[in-house]
């Protein structure tokens, strides 16, 4: 199965997880990434993703999100 996640999805694991809904979304995204890393799913990317990632101002966060996106 091919999966496309936009930058908002890729950044979600770094959001404040004190709200239940956000915590559930983070869990779901982490599971999708895990399945992509084991090649059960295929994470697809695009030039738009690359462009948006380059605009994340916090360098540490950008590197962490790029690491997640590198599964694609």
């Amino acid at each position: 199965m091919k999966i496309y996640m936009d930058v908002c999805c890729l950044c979600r694991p770094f959001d404040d997880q004190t709200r239940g809904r956000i915590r559930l979304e983070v869990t779901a995204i982490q599971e999708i990434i895990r399945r992509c890393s084991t090649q059960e799913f295929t994470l697809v990317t695009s030039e738009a993703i690359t462009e948006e990632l380059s605009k994340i101002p916090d360098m540490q966060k950008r590197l962490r999100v790029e690491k997640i996106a590198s599964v694609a």
Side-chain angles (χ1 to χ4, degrees):
M1 173 187 304
K2 292 182 180 181
I3 303 209
Y4 180 89
M5 290 196 284
D6 65 14
V7 174
C8 291
C9 291
L10 296 172
C11 288
R12 189 52 125 182
F14 306 105
D15 291 342
D16 178 13
Q17 296 181 36
T18 57
R19 292 181 38 207
R21 185 181 125 214
I22 293 174
R23 198 170 36 254
L24 287 173
E25 290 173 0
V26 168
T27 301
I29 289 168
Q30 288 173 332
E31 179 62 17
I32 291 167
I33 296 299
R34 185 192 69 75
R35 290 181 181 205
C36 290
S37 66
T38 63
Q39 299 180 354
E40 183 177 347
F41 296 161
T42 301
L43 183 64
V44 294
T45 191
S46 68
E47 290 180 22
I49 295 285
T50 304
E51 179 68 23
E52 286 184 48
L53 289 178
S54 72
K55 294 181 180 180
I56 297 174
D58 180 336
M59 182 59 83
Q60 188 175 26
K61 181 178 179 179
R62 181 187 320 160
L63 292 173
R64 290 168 34 204
V65 176
E66 285 174 345
K67 184 176 180 179
I68 290 171
S70 72
V71 173

